[in-house]
């Protein structure tokens, strides 16, 4: 195996383990992995940036940012309650039930 292949496999392993065990967001972990590959000289900067040139990718990335901002500010809850309203009656499976009663055991 060549050095770039070993570096790429090492970074891939680090990224996968980070995605599994770390609490950081996947966007930070994946961009960090790409940054490691750029710094190591495995991926040229021009090719790394060219991957972000797709309009579709940029649109989805922008919508993720907007959705996360709305979630953190509470706008999603506000709009959901405003448009859908709050339930007047809880569904049967959400109602509080009395304490469980022992069932007779037949032998």
């Amino acid at each position: 195996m060549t050095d770039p292949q070993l570096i790429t496999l090492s970074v891939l392993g680090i990224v996968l383990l980070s995605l599994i065990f770390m609490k950081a967001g996947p966007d930070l972990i994946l961009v960090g992995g790409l940054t490691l590959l750029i710094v190591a000289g495995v991926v040229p900067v021009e090719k790394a940036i060219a991957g972000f040139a797709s309009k579709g990718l940029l649109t989805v990335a922008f919508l993720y940012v907007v959705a996360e901002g709305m979630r953190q500010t509470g706008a999603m809850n506000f709009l959901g309650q405003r448009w859908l309203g709050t339930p007047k009656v809880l569904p049967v499976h959400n109602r509080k039930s009395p304490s469980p009663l022992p069932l007779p055991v037949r032998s």
Side-chain angles (χ1 to χ4, degrees):
M1 282 191 144
T2 62
D3 286 344
Q5 290 173 338
L6 288 173
I7 293 170
T8 302
L9 287 175
S10 300
V11 170
L12 181 63
I14 291 169
V15 166
L16 287 176
L17 289 173
S18 297
L19 286 170
I20 293 170
F21 295 111
M22 290 184 66
K23 297 200 185 275
D27 53 342
L28 293 175
I29 294 171
L30 294 171
V31 169
L34 180 61
T35 304
L36 284 173
L37 291 174
I38 291 170
V39 169
V42 177
V43 177
V45 177
E46 295 81 24
K47 287 194 177 185
I49 294 173
F52 293 104
S54 168
K55 288 183 181 179
L57 176 70
L58 291 176
T59 301
V60 171
F62 177 73
L63 289 175
Y64 271 110
V65 171
V66 170
E68 182 63 17
M70 290 180 70
R71 187 191 66 78
Q72 287 185 6
T73 61
M76 294 300 286
N77 291 337
F78 174 76
L79 292 174
Q81 287 178 354
R82 183 104 191 235
W83 289 340
L84 301 175
T86 54
K88 303 287 187 249
V89 178
L90 289 174
V92 174
H93 61 277
N94 282 351
R95 292 184 186 153
K96 290 186 177 181
S97 60
S99 62
L101 301 173
L103 297 174
V105 178
R106 294 186 181 187
S107 53

